[in-house]
Amino acid sequence: MPPKLSRFSIFSQPLDRAAFVAYFLGGVVPLVTLVLVIKRYAGAALLRPGLGGLILSLALLSLASFFVLQRTTRQSVGRAQRHSRRLASLVDASRSLAQTADRDGVVAIATRCAAALTGATAAYFLAFEKTRQGFSVLRSIGPEAEKLYSTHREEIDEMAALALPEDSEQQEAEIVHGEIATLSASAIGVGAGVRTQGALILVRQAAAEHDPAEVGTLTALARLVTVALGNSDLRSQQRNFFAHVTQLLVSTLDAHLDYQTDHSRRVAQLANRIGRAMRLPESQLRSLHFAALLHDIGMLRIDRDSLREGRTAVEKHPVIGFDMLRQIDLWRGIAPFVRHHHEHFDGNGYPDQLRGEAIPLESRMIAVAEAFDSMTSAHSYRAALPQSEALSRIRQASGKQFDPAVVEIFLDLAARGELDVNR
Ligand SMILES: [Fe+2]
């Protein structure tokens, strides 16, 4: 617990007591001992007047040295505490940045951390837009931040431009200090070599003395933010790549199974609605979406003639799809959902005759969505069933082919009119 601060206390810091003890043992005790020794062996007369004055001066000097020592220790402790707070903030920021996958999250953490590190009353993350050669505010913090930006936009943008990383080779963050509306301001360039380049702007009330330790911490933060922005770029490229590859595969599959145009996309939409009604987390909904899009991907390896031959060839498609997907790192997690989308809740499905909750939840959801879309779509060999008939068949198969919990949710969605998908 910190010691109580008092106007009259000379012990306001934990180290003050130690400094006082050092002063007492090293200054006061030897002086008193000297006085006693002189008085005892040389007589009281010797203490007056010259030697007495000398001893008094020594006493005052040693007291002064105590106050100097106290001041120095307070400054050192203050510096150490500030440094340790900055370090803790940086460690926190580093941990949060490592767990953040998207650019907006990185920007929010960077602005918050930079404001906390410097005690800024207004903090901004400005991104440079190459197309219009100007800045846009991605994030601002502080009660007056928006107002200040609207009245001093030019100065703030100018500082950001000075701090902006010049090219992809630039490794060290540029830090620029200046003034905005009589307030002290600093700009730190971030995003060297990545897609989102810009600057963090920090505005402070007091005329800040630019502590070298603070500059070091901000430079370290800029580096962490740049790495995190680069990672979010990579993840977004990866997502973009997989979304387009999936789209390509689904179109190829639609062309291969020409009687089921757009079936996979509709199954993915229906599965998503079931997942949302079940309040599944976003990450599970994403996996469900890809699994539903690719559930029949194994059909691509079955030639058209065999597809017409009947069930034996077609029944191989879940395992073929599973083998195709499990070889791709990012799709390995959804491969079992594809393998088991034709299992039946009562254990009479294929390929592994799993039953009940041994079948992955995502597969049980895809099964209902696929059956509904298949029944309500027109095929070359039969017309589309009315929605009411398809729902009635699904209700009858509840507990047999389908998971009763999923069927209940699906029927609820139907009752609310939420099964219409874009055809
Ligand atoms: Fe299938």
Side-chain angles (χ1 to χ4, degrees):
M1 205 179 171
K4 274 190 181 171
L5 288 174
S6 156
R7 278 178 68 186
F8 305 107
S9 171
I10 55 170
F11 299 135
S12 61
Q13 295 281 340
L15 276 178
D16 290 349
R17 279 178 205 284
F20 186 79
V21 169
Y23 149 73
F24 190 80
L25 294 177
V28 177
V29 172
L31 264 178
V32 171
T33 312
L34 181 66
V35 169
L36 291 176
V37 167
I38 291 172
K39 200 174 172 189
R40 171 82 178 77
Y41 295 103
L46 262 181
L47 286 174
R48 285 181 257 124
L51 194 58
L54 180 67
I55 288 171
L56 188 64
S57 309
L58 283 174
L60 288 173
L61 269 176
S62 83
L63 188 63
S65 70
F66 160 69
F67 284 114
V68 170
L69 181 64
Q70 187 192 42
R71 189 183 156 85
T72 316
T73 53
R74 278 181 191 182
Q75 284 173 342
S76 305
V77 167
R79 265 198 303 275
Q81 283 174 338
R82 279 199 299 279
H83 195 63
S84 136
R85 272 199 299 273
R86 283 191 196 118
L87 211 58
S89 294
L90 260 188
V91 170
D92 268 357
S94 160
R95 199 178 296 126
S96 309
L97 288 170
Q99 291 165 354
T100 307
D102 66 296
R103 187 189 76 159
D104 291 347
V106 173
V107 166
I109 293 167
T111 319
R112 197 176 61 230
C113 182
L117 280 172
T118 55
T121 48
Y124 309 85
F125 191 116
L126 264 60
F128 184 67
E129 289 180 17
K130 285 183 183 150
T131 45
R132 64 175 185 90
Q133 292 290 300
F135 287 95
S136 59
V137 180
L138 295 187
R139 190 88 180 177
S140 65
I141 291 179
E144 299 289 316
E146 280 183 32
K147 192 173 156 200
L148 185 69
Y149 189 73
S150 65
T151 52
H152 293 82
R153 182 178 183 152
E154 265 184 34
E155 293 146 90
I156 295 175
D157 283 4
E158 200 176 310
M159 281 194 76
L162 289 171
L164 189 70
E166 279 173 13
D167 54 52
S168 59
E169 301 302 314
Q170 184 182 339
Q171 294 298 315
E172 286 304 315
E174 187 84 45
I175 299 191
V176 178
H177 299 294
E179 271 190 13
I180 289 168
T182 70
L183 299 170
S184 165
S186 307
I188 303 105
V190 287
V194 302
R195 199 163 49 178
T196 305
Q197 292 193 348
L200 282 159
I201 309 285
L202 305 158
V203 183
R204 282 174 269 194
Q205 288 293 343
E209 45 176 282
H210 302 298
D211 179 355
E214 181 185 283
V215 171
T217 318
L218 288 175
T219 308
L221 176 68
R223 251 183 248 140
L224 284 174
V225 172
T226 301
V227 170
L229 286 171
N231 287 342
S232 86
D233 274 5
L234 274 178
R235 272 190 282 264
S236 115
Q237 280 166 13
Q238 214 171 43
R239 274 198 294 267
N240 178 286
F241 173 77
F242 271 88
H244 283 90
V245 168
T246 310
Q247 190 50 51
L248 262 171
L249 283 171
V250 170
S251 313
T252 314
L253 183 65
D254 282 347
H256 187 65
L257 310 172
D258 51 11
Y259 53 88
Q260 288 200 336
T261 305
D262 248 4
H263 166 70
S264 307
R265 187 181 52 75
R266 290 195 302 271
V267 172
Q269 277 185 312
L270 290 169
N272 181 270
R273 284 176 202 177
I274 303 173
R276 289 205 178 276
M278 291 179 93
R279 298 181 190 281
L280 298 187
E282 282 302 317
S283 58
Q284 200 174 354
L285 285 173
R286 252 196 315 273
S287 301
L288 175 66
H289 172 77
F290 281 109
L293 276 176
L294 298 166
H295 71 278
D296 275 341
I297 199 69
M299 294 284 203
L300 275 180
R301 292 257 177 94
I302 302 173
D303 62 63
R304 281 164 178 261
D305 293 339
S306 306
L307 284 174
R308 287 189 204 97
E309 274 169 19
R311 284 185 62 150
T312 320
V314 171
E315 283 185 3
K316 290 178 185 160
H317 79 274
V319 174
I320 297 173
F322 170 76
D323 285 336
M324 286 163 79
L325 296 178
R326 72 177 171 152
Q327 295 173 49
I328 302 165
D329 283 351
L330 281 172
W331 278 341
R332 190 167 295 138
I334 64 167
F337 309 155
V338 169
R339 181 181 180 104
H340 300 297
H341 76 277
H342 281 292
E343 303 285 2
H344 288 187
F345 200 70
D346 61 7
N348 287 322
Y350 62 91
D352 299 315
Q353 289 78 49
L354 297 186
R355 76 170 57 222
E357 294 188 357
I359 306 166
L361 174 64
E362 290 81 352
S363 307
R364 286 178 264 147
M365 292 155 83
I366 293 169
V368 173
E370 179 183 39
F372 178 78
D373 185 71
S374 203
M375 286 189 273
T376 53
S377 304
H379 294 258
S380 55
Y381 52 90
R382 69 158 169 78
L385 289 181
Q387 218 185 70
S388 56
E389 175 60 24
L391 289 171
S392 161
R393 290 189 188 187
I394 286 175
R395 190 182 292 112
Q396 280 165 23
S398 174
K400 296 173 200 139
Q401 184 176 349
F402 305 123
D403 177 352
V406 176
V407 170
E408 196 183 321
I409 286 166
F410 197 73
L411 295 176
D412 277 351
L413 286 171
R416 294 203 298 269
E418 292 176 20
L419 290 188
D420 288 331
V421 286
N422 301 327
R423 287 183 185 272

